[in-house]
Amino acid sequence: MAAVAALEAAAPPGALWGLVQDFVMGQQEGPAAQVAADVKSGSYTVLQVVEALGSSLENPEPRTRARGIQLLSQVLLQCHSLLLEKEGTSIASGGVLDCCTKAPCVRTQMGSRTKVPIWDASACRWKIMVHLVLFYENRLKDHHLVIPSVLQGLRALSLCMTLPSGLAVSVLKAIFQEVHVQSLPQVDRHTVYTIITNFMQIREEELKGLGADFTFGFIQVMDGEKDPRNLLVAFRIVHDLISRDYSLGPFVEELFEVTSCYFPVDFTPPPNDPHGIQREDLILSLRAVLASTSRFAEFLLPLLIEKVDSEILSAKLDSLQTLNACCAVYGQKELKDFLPSLWASIRREVFQTASERVEAEGLAALHSLTACLSRSVLRADAEDLLDSFLSNILQDCRHHLCEPDMKLVWPSAKLLQAAAGASARACDHITSNTLPLLLEQFHKHNQSNQRRTILEMILGFLKLQQKWSYEDKDERPLNALKDQLCSLVFLALSEPSTQLQLVGIRTLTVLGAQPGLLSSEDLELAVGHLYRLSFLEEDFQSCRAAALEASGTLATLYPVAFSSHLLPKLAEELCTGESDVAQQDGPTKCCRHLHCLQALSAISTHPSLVRETLPLLLQHLGQMNKGNMVAGSNEVIAICQSLQQVAEKCQQDPESCWYFHQTAIPCLLALAVQASMPENEPSVLSKVLLEDEVLVAMVSVIGTATTHLNPELAAQSVTCIVPLFLDGNTSFLPENSFPSKFQPFQDGCPEQRRLVALLMAFVCSLPREVEIPQLNQLMRELLELSCCPGCPFSSTAAAKCFAGLLNKHPAGQQLDEFLQLAVDTVEASLGSGPSRKEAFTLLLWVTKALVLRYHPLSSCLTTRLMGLLSDPELGPAAADGFSLLMSDCTDVLTRAGHAEVRIMFRQRFFTDNVPALVQGFHAAIQDVKPNYLKGLSHVLNRLPKPVLLPELPTLLSLLLEALSCPDCVVQLSTLSCLQPLLLEAPQVMSLHVDTLVTKFLDLSSSPSMAVRIAALQCMHALTRLPTSVLLPYKPQVIRALAKPLDDKKRLVRKEAVAARGEWFLLGSPGS
């Protein structure tokens, strides 16, 4: 009590009275916030504020009363959470509020304030809340100018979690009885909805005690609402009324009418709407209401049918989507009387509509209707509406399937498939009535296009069967038709029509996915057809690719069949291919050899098959090192590509991945090491294996085989491979009797140095947690080799390997030592001497490794790289280096290879370095400015466009200047950067339209075909700029674009036609 007395003494009543007078009489808004802040801080109590407002609340002038109540309401809104904490130990007699409410009050004989013992605090709180609620309820009868402030006060009280029981019901009753809500402004109506929402959240049981009266009261409040901001809240309230089981009583139809009057929603948001309410928001909110209860069905379904049958596209879409949503809560009872009308409307829309969206929504609605009928639980004596509904669909659609050339064949098939996809019962019913007819029609029609149409429909029904599982395999409706289906598919695969063969391949794949449907004889025939199709000529590329894909899918399901019937044929074909290659027996034979390799990799989708195909491929590669075969690089690369594809398929199975790794990599390393040995008469394969393109292909195989290795298994492998390169330990290699020692890092055989690329592929693909043995020695050897002149391939591979290991190395002293060693090596060789280019390459890759992981040293190295832009010898290469820094690599420093690649590294690089590039461009001499432009162009071209758009005004002038650079690489990079900007920032680009038109037209005659194509694409994109800006240039552009129409390259002519056509249409009606 002493604390309360001290608090009252600390706050001079005069100051509060002055703030109240400034707000009420002085019409100042600031004092309200000051009073609320003082109440929050404890300087005043709410009751003191009420006493200070006494005369204002009783003033006969409505505006003065409104200002007084507004101040009280604003204080309550700011302090409602503190009200019950601070008002319990000292309460006013309620004189002012009593006078205003005419309610009885407690008053002592000694004065207007009573000191209440602390143990009576809860009773005091209750009395405070009662007085406030009674006061505000009474003010609802006041002048209309007062009502907005009263509603704000009630909103504050609705936020009190400990509001005494019964007051929420009292407040809402008063609002329902005393306030004509729809006559209020939008803000005040929104306040009423907010009060109702708050009470529904904290006083649900009390409001439910009102029964249907609460529902009726809300209907009166909402009736006639038009503002979308309020409608969103009102729709949520209606949804809560239904979903939380409030009593609707006899007012179900009234509640439906008060909400359905807005259906379908017709609302276009005003431009620059600060509230951001979209038509879709209202549609979804209203749909949630209409589809929330089956009690609306008898009123809603006729409305939906009426709107579907209307001519308004948006109404059709909204109605079909709402019907789709309703089917989730409806049952047979609600749908029974409306099924014929619903089916007629959906059928008409699918048969006749010109809109693909309406067709898709109609099919979705039919699917949902069928699913709803399928899941309803029936009594023994009840009618099964599903069978009769499906019978109607079949009656209206089935006969159209007999006319594969007619317009309605596909709409009918789509309707049947939409219904069949809803449930297993529906699928069985429709499939059993449709497939026999389609099988019959396939044999009746002889033209390939008709057969293709029928087979595509069959394929659609077969796909639906995959959705449903059957405990008893004999229950499958396809079992009775499997012989006919297999015969039909094999017939289609034998047809000369490529399109029919493609559909046949897809159908065979779906049939094979059905368990137990293909017999062993069928599988043998299927494998034979796939074998034949896999060797089709290049003119049938699509069919051959489909056959290879189908082989991979079916090999997963039937590995024994493919091992028995296909692998022997492929092995024989491979042996034939070896002799063909040896005899150089024409391109056709070589193509068959290539197709055989592709088929072997395609079927390597099962672990048991991998154990057969991988040895075949490796044996085939080894055979090229024996005899007199003339093995070209293309043949070896083709084998490596097949090995890589097998490795990719093995990544999903850890056991297969390890098998491939321990089988293929030692074999490849052994062949490469053998090829690198000094010989008097090296074999043809030895020469081929050391070519750059072949080594790159082997790098892909080793990298792919390593990225998904288990860390424990990878650790076993690394203890063998790293000593091979550092110590020449070849003991783990097959056929390891080599004529001399393998020492790639020692001075000597340059061929052995080239194999460092294979080491790079392995160690840079390892998981980060794998510890690399002899790392310190390895890094030093790599560093030394990366700066050795004479073999750019070896030095670059060493630099990339060093950078890849740096990127993954954990931070610490050892990493700092490696970095210092690299910087010292770069600086020592970069100044002058024969190793400048190699040192620059090392600098570039180390910089990239650090940029990707946000290492602090990356900024210093990037600055060093920018300094080289002015170097006469290395400047152009330094400019191209920015492309490497911003692009993704394929062999090292990849996320797949476990490199540390931070998100948004490009954005960070742009922010940190582009200002310096721009500054360097302005300060550079004229001869080296193109280097800066090229570097800037590379950075911007690979930057995400949302990051570039805000910086476009300051950088656009440099991009335009880059178009004048004679370097085709700069031109192409800049054009690639500008084209999307023309589409995404037309307002900024239109400021430079004169320059853009001139430069694009000049570049459309460039010697480079790629530049000509890009320039014409930019001319096409220019038409997205405002028409008024472009019209003055239209005649000039149309004349200039006539020249590339006669370009000797077809792709250039194609772009010229597209661009010129758009410029012709510029400014025409409807363009």
Side-chain angles (χ1 to χ4, degrees):
M1 299 299 293
V4 173
L7 180 63
E8 291 176 352
L16 176 59
W17 187 87
L19 290 171
V20 169
Q21 289 301 307
D22 289 343
F23 182 86
V24 176
M25 306 305 295
Q27 301 294 314
Q28 300 177 25
E29 300 301 327
Q34 182 62 48
V35 172
D38 290 343
V39 173
K40 276 187 175 181
S41 66
S43 300
Y44 308 122
T45 66
V46 172
L47 294 175
Q48 287 176 317
V49 176
V50 172
E51 288 180 343
L53 282 167
S55 59
S56 302
L57 299 179
E58 300 172 349
N59 195 293
E61 174 59 40
R63 296 184 185 277
T64 303
R65 292 200 304 279
R67 289 290 289 180
I69 296 173
Q70 181 183 351
L71 176 59
L72 177 60
S73 297
Q74 290 189 19
V75 171
L76 291 176
L77 279 170
Q78 295 292 322
C79 309
H80 64 86
S81 61
L82 307 176
L83 177 65
L84 300 180
E85 300 173 9
K86 297 185 177 181
E87 301 300 327
T89 57
S90 177
I91 65 169
S93 64
V96 175
L97 299 183
D98 293 338
C99 177
C100 294
T101 61
K102 309 301 182 188
C105 64
V106 179
R107 189 179 292 273
T108 66
Q109 295 179 354
M110 298 302 294
S112 62
R113 184 176 299 275
T114 301
K115 299 298 180 179
V116 181
I118 193 68
W119 54 81
D120 289 337
S122 61
C124 296
R125 296 188 186 102
W126 186 87
K127 290 181 180 180
I128 293 170
M129 299 302 299
V130 170
H131 278 293
L132 286 170
V133 169
L134 291 176
F135 165 71
Y136 275 112
E137 286 181 6
N138 183 270
R139 292 302 92 201
L140 287 174
K141 304 173 185 178
D142 205 335
H143 194 276
H144 68 87
L145 293 175
V146 179
I147 300 301
S149 300
V150 175
L151 292 174
Q152 290 298 327
L154 290 174
R155 181 164 75 91
L157 295 174
S158 72
L159 295 169
C160 293
M161 300 297 295
T162 55
L163 193 71
S165 177
L167 292 185
V169 171
S170 177
V171 168
L172 291 181
K173 281 184 175 180
I175 290 176
F176 294 158
Q177 292 172 7
E178 305 297 342
V179 182
H180 183 246
V181 175
Q182 290 306 315
S183 66
L184 299 175
Q186 179 271 327
V187 174
D188 300 326
R189 300 199 306 275
H190 192 277
T191 303
V192 173
Y193 295 127
T194 305
I195 293 169
I196 296 173
T197 301
N198 292 341
F199 281 143
M200 289 178 72
Q201 291 174 351
I202 66 174
R203 290 291 184 269
E204 182 174 323
E205 295 304 320
E206 291 182 30
L207 300 189
K208 287 183 177 179
L210 280 173
D213 290 343
F214 176 61
T215 302
F216 180 69
F218 176 74
I219 290 173
Q220 289 181 309
V221 168
M222 181 182 173
D223 192 13
E225 182 59 67
K226 295 180 180 179
D227 191 277
R229 292 165 288 181
N230 293 345
L231 283 174
L232 285 177
V233 184
F235 290 155
R236 281 198 295 269
I237 293 173
V238 178
H239 184 268
D240 290 343
L241 280 173
I242 297 169
S243 62
R244 297 183 185 178
D245 294 324
Y246 283 80
S247 174
L248 305 185
F251 305 115
V252 174
E253 184 174 1
E254 286 76 5
L255 186 61
F256 172 77
E257 292 294 339
V258 83
T259 51
S260 65
C261 62
Y262 302 101
F263 183 86
V265 173
D266 183 16
F267 169 67
T268 303
N272 303 320
D273 179 18
H275 306 287
I277 297 176
Q278 301 297 319
R279 178 173 174 269
E280 191 67 19
D281 300 328
L282 292 168
I283 289 174
L284 295 176
S285 187
L286 176 58
R287 184 177 300 152
V289 172
L290 297 178
S292 60
T293 176
S294 59
R295 286 177 284 181
F296 283 168
E298 60 178 309
F299 315 113
L300 178 59
L301 291 175
L303 176 63
L304 295 180
I305 294 170
E306 175 190 341
K307 299 303 180 183
V308 170
D309 294 343
S310 70
E311 299 299 325
I312 304 173
L313 178 63
S314 60
K316 291 176 182 288
L317 290 170
D318 201 354
S319 301
L320 291 168
Q321 290 166 352
T322 303
L323 175 60
N324 195 348
C326 289
C327 288
V329 296
Y330 288 3
Q332 288 200 9
K333 183 180 71 172
E334 289 79 20
L335 294 172
K336 179 178 180 180
D337 296 335
F338 302 97
L339 283 176
S341 299
L342 287 170
W343 162 239
S345 297
I346 292 173
R347 179 190 62 208
R348 181 173 56 256
E349 292 308 317
V350 176
F351 277 179
Q352 299 178 6
T353 186
S355 168
E356 292 183 1
R357 291 182 61 198
V358 172
E359 178 187 300
E361 294 299 339
L363 295 173
L366 178 61
H367 178 96
S368 299
L369 277 173
T370 310
C372 178
L373 296 175
S374 301
R375 66 172 174 265
S376 298
V377 179
L378 301 177
R379 300 190 309 273
D381 58 342
E383 178 189 0
D384 187 358
L385 292 178
L386 177 63
D387 280 344
S388 58
F389 184 63
L390 294 178
S391 297
N392 288 336
I393 296 175
L394 284 165
Q395 181 181 349
D396 291 340
C397 297
R398 193 170 181 269
H399 62 280
H400 292 301
L401 303 183
C402 302
E403 303 166 339
D405 290 329
M406 302 304 289
K407 175 183 177 182
L408 295 181
V409 61
W410 271 115
S412 298
K414 290 177 181 178
L415 286 167
L416 289 168
Q417 290 169 7
S423 68
R425 283 178 60 205
C427 190
D428 291 351
H429 187 111
I430 290 179
T431 300
S432 60
N433 284 275
T434 304
L435 278 184
L437 174 66
L438 291 173
L439 290 169
E440 178 186 345
Q441 292 300 314
F442 184 89
H443 293 291
K444 277 188 176 180
H445 295 83
N446 296 320
Q447 295 184 15
S448 61
N449 60 335
Q450 295 173 329
R451 287 188 162 188
R452 185 193 67 194
T453 300
I454 295 170
L455 188 56
E456 284 181 337
M457 290 189 285
I458 293 174
L459 175 60
F461 287 107
L462 292 177
K463 285 181 177 179
L464 295 175
Q465 285 287 332
Q466 292 179 295
K467 295 177 61 176
W468 316 112
S469 59
Y470 296 84
E471 294 181 1
D472 187 355
K473 294 182 180 179
D474 294 334
E475 292 181 358
R476 288 184 173 275
L478 296 182
N479 285 346
L481 301 170
K482 64 178 183 179
D483 292 338
Q484 298 178 60
L485 286 169
C486 291
S487 173
L488 179 143
V489 170
F490 296 147
L491 179 59
L493 294 177
S494 304
E495 291 279 345
S497 168
T498 302
Q499 296 302 317
L500 185 55
Q501 286 179 343
L502 285 171
V503 182
I505 293 170
R506 288 158 49 203
T507 309
L508 176 61
T509 306
V510 174
L511 277 178
Q514 303 278 350
L517 204 60
L518 295 180
S519 65
S520 57
E521 293 79 8
D522 295 330
L523 283 171
E524 185 174 356
L525 282 172
V527 169
H529 280 291
L530 291 174
Y531 171 76
R532 176 179 56 81
L533 294 171
S534 298
F535 286 87
L536 291 175
E537 297 178 1
E538 292 300 324
D539 295 340
F540 304 95
Q541 172 67 24
S542 59
C543 196
R544 189 167 61 82
L548 291 174
E549 183 180 357
S551 298
T553 303
L554 294 176
T556 307
L557 303 171
Y558 307 101
V560 175
F562 278 80
S563 175
S564 304
H565 304 304
L566 184 60
L567 269 178
K569 294 181 180 180
L570 293 177
E572 182 181 353
E573 186 70 41
L574 209 56
C575 293
T576 306
E578 290 172 5
S579 60
D580 292 338
V581 172
Q583 298 169 16
Q584 296 182 321
D585 206 5
T588 302
K589 296 292 186 180
C590 292
C591 281
R592 287 190 64 85
H593 175 239
L594 177 61
H595 295 168
C596 183
L597 295 174
Q598 293 172 345
L600 280 170
S601 61
I603 64 171
S604 302
T605 54
H606 192 275
S608 64
L609 288 172
V610 172
R611 293 179 181 273
E612 297 185 65
T613 58
L614 181 57
L616 271 178
L617 290 169
L618 294 175
Q619 180 185 2
H620 180 56
L621 181 61
Q623 289 296 326
M624 292 189 171
N625 199 28
K626 300 174 182 178
N628 297 318
M629 287 184 61
V630 182
S633 60
N634 291 337
E635 285 78 17
V636 178
I637 291 172
I639 299 174
C640 290
Q641 289 173 344
S642 295
L643 288 170
Q644 182 188 2
Q645 291 166 10
V646 176
E648 289 175 352
K649 292 178 172 63
C650 290
Q651 289 176 347
Q652 307 304 319
D653 179 50
E655 184 179 346
S656 297
C657 186
W658 176 237
Y659 170 76
F660 184 97
H661 186 85
Q662 66 178 353
T663 304
I665 291 186
C667 180
L668 291 176
L669 290 174
L671 289 173
V673 170
Q674 179 66 51
S676 69
M677 292 296 166
E679 299 179 11
N680 295 330
E681 295 182 3
S683 66
V684 175
L685 183 63
S686 298
K687 296 179 180 179
V688 170
L689 284 178
L690 297 177
E691 292 182 8
D692 292 357
E693 296 83 359
V694 175
L695 285 174
V696 168
M698 294 177 69
V699 163
S700 298
V701 177
I702 295 174
T704 305
T706 307
T707 54
H708 284 66
L709 270 187
N710 179 287
E712 289 77 13
L713 298 177
Q716 296 179 29
S717 188
V718 76
T719 57
C720 298
I721 294 178
V722 171
L724 167 67
F725 283 85
L726 290 180
D727 306 325
N729 183 0
T730 60
S731 59
F732 76 102
L733 298 180
E735 302 180 8
N736 53 13
S737 57
F738 301 110
S740 58
K741 194 170 183 180
F742 179 62
Q743 296 177 321
F745 289 113
Q746 304 300 321
D747 293 334
C749 183
E751 286 80 7
Q752 293 186 1
R753 293 183 180 180
R754 301 175 66 81
L755 301 193
V756 172
L758 306 184
L759 173 66
M760 172 203 74
F762 174 71
V763 297
C764 291
S765 300
L766 290 170
R768 290 187 213 172
E769 57 267 33
V770 175
E771 184 177 352
I772 298 176
Q774 302 173 267
L775 179 62
N776 191 53
Q777 179 187 352
L778 176 61
M779 296 294 276
R780 293 178 181 275
E781 296 285 7
L782 289 170
L783 201 57
E784 182 179 350
L785 179 58
S786 65
C787 289
C788 286
C791 182
F793 184 87
S794 303
S795 59
T796 301
K800 291 163 73 172
C801 188
F802 183 85
L805 292 173
L806 271 185
N807 175 267
K808 293 183 185 181
H809 200 287
Q813 181 180 356
Q814 190 177 36
L815 176 64
D816 296 338
E817 291 175 358
F818 289 152
L819 287 173
Q820 187 59 51
L821 194 61
V823 170
D824 293 343
T825 304
V826 167
E827 292 300 335
S829 303
L830 203 57
S832 60
S835 303
R836 288 197 74 207
K837 291 183 179 179
E838 288 75 13
F840 165 76
T841 302
L842 175 63
L843 170 64
L844 192 59
W845 281 103
V846 171
T847 303
K848 182 174 180 64
L850 300 185
V851 165
L852 292 180
R853 64 179 286 176
Y854 289 177
H855 193 279
L857 186 60
S858 63
S859 58
C860 299
L861 297 183
T862 306
T863 303
R864 183 72 176 94
L865 189 62
M866 286 187 197
L868 293 175
L869 290 172
S870 302
D871 188 280
E873 180 185 1
L874 298 178
D880 287 329
F882 284 92
S883 175
L884 174 66
L885 295 180
M886 295 291 285
S887 58
D888 293 322
C889 300
T890 57
D891 47 3
V892 295
L893 299 175
T894 65
R895 287 188 172 92
H898 311 286
E900 184 176 354
V901 182
R902 304 288 292 272
I903 60 172
M904 298 192 294
F905 76 90
R906 294 181 178 87
Q907 289 89 321
R908 179 167 179 170
F909 187 87
F910 169 81
T911 303
D912 292 346
N913 298 293
V914 164
L917 271 175
V918 174
Q919 184 178 359
F921 168 80
H922 291 301
I925 60 175
Q926 191 63 35
D927 291 344
V928 299
K929 280 183 181 291
N931 295 338
Y932 285 90
L933 288 176
K934 181 189 285 190
L936 179 65
S937 178
H938 285 316
V939 173
L940 299 183
N941 191 34
R942 287 166 176 80
L943 191 70
K945 293 305 176 281
V947 181
L948 178 57
L949 288 176
E951 308 295 332
L952 186 59
T954 57
L955 297 174
L956 188 56
S957 59
L958 289 178
L959 285 173
L960 295 178
E961 188 166 347
L963 291 177
S964 302
C965 181
D967 192 325
C968 289
V969 176
V970 179
Q971 294 172 353
L972 185 59
S973 178
T974 307
L975 289 170
S976 302
C977 181
L978 286 174
Q979 185 195 2
L981 296 178
L982 289 167
L983 305 176
E984 297 173 22
Q987 298 302 323
V988 177
M989 304 297 284
S990 61
L991 300 177
H992 303 268
V993 63
D994 186 71
T995 306
L996 290 169
V997 169
T998 303
K999 292 188 178 294
F1000 290 162
L1001 290 178
D1002 289 344
L1003 292 175
S1004 66
S1005 302
S1006 168
S1008 167
M1009 183 186 77
V1011 172
R1012 296 200 302 274
I1013 291 174
L1016 291 169
Q1017 289 172 341
C1018 287
M1019 286 303 303
H1020 191 168
L1022 267 178
T1023 57
R1024 298 293 184 90
L1025 270 57
T1027 304
S1028 58
V1029 175
L1030 297 176
L1031 281 177
Y1033 302 93
K1034 181 177 177 180
Q1036 171 194 353
V1037 171
I1038 291 175
R1039 286 195 303 271
L1041 289 180
K1043 181 180 177 181
L1045 291 177
D1046 295 326
D1047 197 280
K1048 59 184 178 180
K1049 296 294 185 179
R1050 180 183 62 84
L1051 294 177
V1052 177
R1053 297 195 301 271
K1054 177 182 175 183
E1055 295 296 338
V1057 168
R1060 197 164 187 255
E1062 286 297 321
W1063 277 89
F1064 258 119
L1065 295 174
L1066 197 68
S1068 60
S1071 63

